[in-house]
């Protein structure tokens, strides 16, 4: 069964460093998403991506964040200069609009 | 504003007992409603969804949910819980053209043997 994969499973970085979180969505899906879950809080929508451009983004998704689909298979989330409050579990999802399939997540720890 | 409320943060049931997890939503249009489950160290797995039609929907692992528009609710049920059902359960509503998901805080389910 096709699945969404994410790498790495855990990333530790120092404040101010850039991180790139990687996702491989399900191959025939057209919509891609990033969500995050800070420990003890709700899962929050960050951004959706369709037709090679951002289709919607939340207030959280400021200029420090960017997404890219560089090669038709990977879907990446970049945080340019990480802050302590970026520590969270980041989930990638893909869909053909109706059902979103999630990856296992990347736990980002900013020290 | 769109929101999802799961009033129960933590629930403990005995194995074999019935289960109902509550979910209330606030959304102006016809909602697309979902229940996801997250086991420790795992990703988010879709249990079931409601888009339209029959308000009682069946999902995987013996779960079902009922959409009640008048109560703005989408409660998850299972007639007989198994120890392997211990997990975190999330209710979500899909909104907008992209169906971005707005999530509840989740309900942590513990199952006593």
């Amino acid at each position: 069964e096709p699945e969404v994969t994410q790498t790495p499973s855990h990333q530790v970085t120092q404040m101010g460093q850039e991180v790139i979180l990687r996702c491989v969505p399900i191959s025939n899906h057209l919509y891609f998403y990033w969500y995050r879950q800070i420990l003890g809080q709700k899962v929050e929508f960050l951004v959706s991506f369709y037709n090679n451009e951002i289709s919607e983004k939340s207030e959280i998704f400021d200029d420090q964040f960017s997404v890219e689909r560089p090669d038709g298979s990977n879907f990446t989330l970049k945080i340019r200069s990480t802050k302590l409050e970026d520590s969270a579990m980041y989930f990638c999802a893909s869909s053909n609009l109706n059902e979103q399939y999630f990856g296992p997540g990347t736990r980002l720890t900013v020290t | 504003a769109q929101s999802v409320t799961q009033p129960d943060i933590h629930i403990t049931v005995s194995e074999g007992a019935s289960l109902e997890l509550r979910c209330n939503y606030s959304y102006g249009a016809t909602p697309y409603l979902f229940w996801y489950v997250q086991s420790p160290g795992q990703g988010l797995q879709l249990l079931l969804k409601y888009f339209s039609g029959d308000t009682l929907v069946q999902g995987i692992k013996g779960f079902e949910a009922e959409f009640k528009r008048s109560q703005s609710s989408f409660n998850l049920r299972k007639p007989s819980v198994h120890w392997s059902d211990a997990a975190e359960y999330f209710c979500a509503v899909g909104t907008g053209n992209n169906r971005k998901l707005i999530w509840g805080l989740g309900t942590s389910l513990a199952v006593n043997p």
Side-chain angles (χ1 to χ4, degrees):
Chain A
E1 184 177 326
E3 58 181 17
V4 177
T5 59
Q6 289 185 244
T7 54
S9 56
H10 192 187
Q11 172 94 46
V12 181
T13 190
Q14 288 190 325
M15 199 166 49
Q17 295 297 304
E18 174 184 286
V19 293
I20 297 176
L21 310 184
R22 291 184 166 79
C23 169
V24 179
I26 293 173
S27 61
N28 64 344
H29 283 178
L30 302 176
Y31 294 81
F32 313 108
Y33 310 81
W34 283 101
Y35 295 84
R36 78 171 185 192
Q37 184 182 29
I38 295 171
L39 191 64
Q41 297 185 25
K42 292 185 180 188
V43 179
E44 300 172 291
F45 167 77
L46 292 178
V47 66
S48 59
F49 193 86
Y50 171 72
N51 201 25
N52 287 317
E53 61 183 19
I54 290 173
S55 48
E56 188 172 355
K57 60 184 180 179
S58 72
E59 292 172 355
I60 303 167
F61 195 89
D62 62 20
D63 292 344
Q64 292 302 307
F65 291 86
S66 62
V67 288
E68 204 175 33
R69 190 157 160 78
D71 56 13
S73 63
N74 289 283
F75 179 51
T76 62
L77 174 69
K78 183 194 291 187
I79 309 175
R80 267 182 263 283
S81 177
T82 50
K83 307 191 229 355
L84 293 176
E85 53 265 37
D86 293 327
S87 294
M89 183 72 95
Y90 288 79
F91 292 104
C92 172
S94 70
S95 81
N96 276 332
L97 196 58
N98 287 335
E99 298 178 26
Q100 292 182 30
Y101 294 82
F102 284 81
T106 293
R107 180 166 297 285
L108 176 65
T109 302
V110 182
T111 62
Chain B
Q2 304 127 359
S3 66
V4 175
T5 302
Q6 292 181 248
D8 305 304
I9 302 295
H10 186 87
I11 284 182
T12 300
V13 299
S14 297
E15 191 167 17
S18 64
L19 172 71
E20 182 168 26
L21 302 183
R22 297 182 290 164
C23 172
N24 293 95
Y25 67 90
S26 172
Y27 184 58
T30 300
Y32 296 85
L33 295 161
F34 305 85
W35 275 98
Y36 282 85
V37 62
Q38 184 181 32
S39 298
Q42 304 293 311
L44 294 154
Q45 182 182 24
L46 180 67
L47 281 177
L48 46 77
K49 61 187 184 288
Y50 172 79
F51 293 158
S52 63
D54 192 347
T55 55
L56 184 64
V57 293
Q58 303 297 319
I60 62 171
K61 305 185 182 189
F63 285 91
E64 65 178 27
E66 186 170 13
F67 169 59
K68 292 185 178 180
R69 185 185 295 277
S70 61
Q71 298 177 18
S72 298
S73 69
F74 188 55
N75 294 348
L76 182 72
R77 300 195 294 248
K78 186 168 184 178
S80 177
V81 170
H82 189 261
W83 63 265
S84 61
D85 293 324
E88 190 86 16
Y89 290 81
F90 294 94
C91 181
V93 60
T95 71
N97 293 332
N98 301 298
R99 307 281 197 271
K100 74 176 186 204
L101 295 176
I102 306 297
W103 298 79
L105 194 53
T107 297
S108 177
L109 175 67
V111 180
N112 286 334

